[in-house]
Amino acid sequence: MNIHINAPLPPFIETKRLRLRPHRLSDCGPISETLSDFRVTRMLARVPYPYGEDDARDWLNLILAPDDDWHFAITQPADDVHIGTISIERRQQAWHLGYYLNRYYWRRGFMSEAASGLIERFFSRHGAVILHSGAYAENRASQRVQEKLGFRVTGLRDLYSVSTSQMMPEVTTELKASEFQPFEFA
């Protein structure tokens, strides 16, 4: 695998059913709609609740500034509607995968498909780096997404949840490029 540290961020990533594209300021409405659903927000460490369009606009202005992070809107090609977000960010000297999906799109394999497409592109650009992630212990669906892609559990830690204002147990994971298992949607 070749390492391309300074390769530009790809403009789109296409999978069988999805298109990952850069965010736009016009995504404020769908983002705030998704994150105003407590069933979604309570599984995310850094997202406040309630969450409004001003919060979405502030976040978009932050991530739209050029940096090395990979932030994508998850959409369906037919209508380009924002149904979730997936990113790989550089935090604490390591790469971290994070994501969420509007709950109306849960249990259809969309997140496994989106994460697989992003991770495959990421490893093709960055080579044999280690990708970190995690999920709150009660979030079995997110843990299954990571398991399917080859992530292995590295530990358990307490992580503060902004939306619930409490510490919650998080299962931490990591993925080596050599252990990545691309998702195949049947």
Side-chain angles (χ1 to χ4, degrees):
M1 192 171 283
N2 294 331
I3 299 176
H4 303 284
I5 299 300
N6 293 320
L9 186 64
F12 296 98
I13 297 172
E14 302 280 344
T15 68
K16 185 172 183 176
R17 301 175 297 161
L18 302 171
R19 171 183 263 189
L20 309 182
R21 63 157 172 80
H23 285 89
R24 307 173 185 139
L25 285 176
S26 60
D27 292 328
C28 283
I31 290 170
S32 63
E33 178 184 330
T34 297
L35 295 179
S36 66
D37 183 341
F38 190 66
R39 286 172 280 191
V40 175
T41 306
R42 69 185 298 270
M43 295 298 169
L44 304 172
R46 301 180 291 167
V47 179
Y49 185 83
Y51 194 92
E53 281 201 37
D54 288 341
D55 297 308
R57 190 172 298 101
D58 290 346
W59 179 75
L60 284 169
N61 282 323
L62 180 68
I63 63 123
L64 289 174
D67 61 17
D68 292 334
D69 294 342
W70 291 36
H71 294 279
F72 286 95
I74 302 169
T75 67
Q76 293 181 295
D79 59 14
D80 196 43
V81 172
H82 188 288
I83 65 171
T85 293
I86 188 162
S87 64
I88 298 178
E89 300 174 311
R90 188 90 169 139
R91 287 188 276 139
Q92 300 169 343
Q93 305 303 314
W95 291 104
H96 293 264
L97 172 72
Y99 48 82
Y100 68 83
L101 196 62
N102 184 296
R103 74 178 167 92
Y104 295 108
Y105 297 91
W106 290 358
R107 291 182 282 286
R108 298 184 197 179
F110 285 142
M111 189 50 72
S112 296
E113 185 176 337
S116 182
L118 180 61
I119 291 167
E120 184 172 17
R121 184 69 60 90
F122 178 79
F123 281 145
S124 75
R125 298 285 174 107
H126 287 276
V129 298
I130 295 176
L131 184 58
H132 299 268
S133 195
Y136 285 128
E138 68 184 80
N139 190 350
R140 281 296 303 144
S142 188
Q143 291 171 42
R144 280 193 303 274
V145 166
Q146 293 171 34
E147 288 166 8
K148 285 188 271 186
L149 298 172
F151 281 83
R152 66 178 182 80
V153 173
T154 57
L156 185 67
R157 68 177 182 168
D158 285 334
L159 182 64
Y160 185 74
S161 165
V162 173
S163 66
T164 64
S165 300
Q166 64 182 357
M167 299 298 283
M168 295 176 58
E170 180 197 35
V171 176
T172 59
T173 62
E174 72 177 23
L175 177 65
K176 296 177 181 172
S178 61
E179 296 171 354
F180 173 53
Q181 300 169 16
F183 176 75
E184 295 293 327
F185 184 77

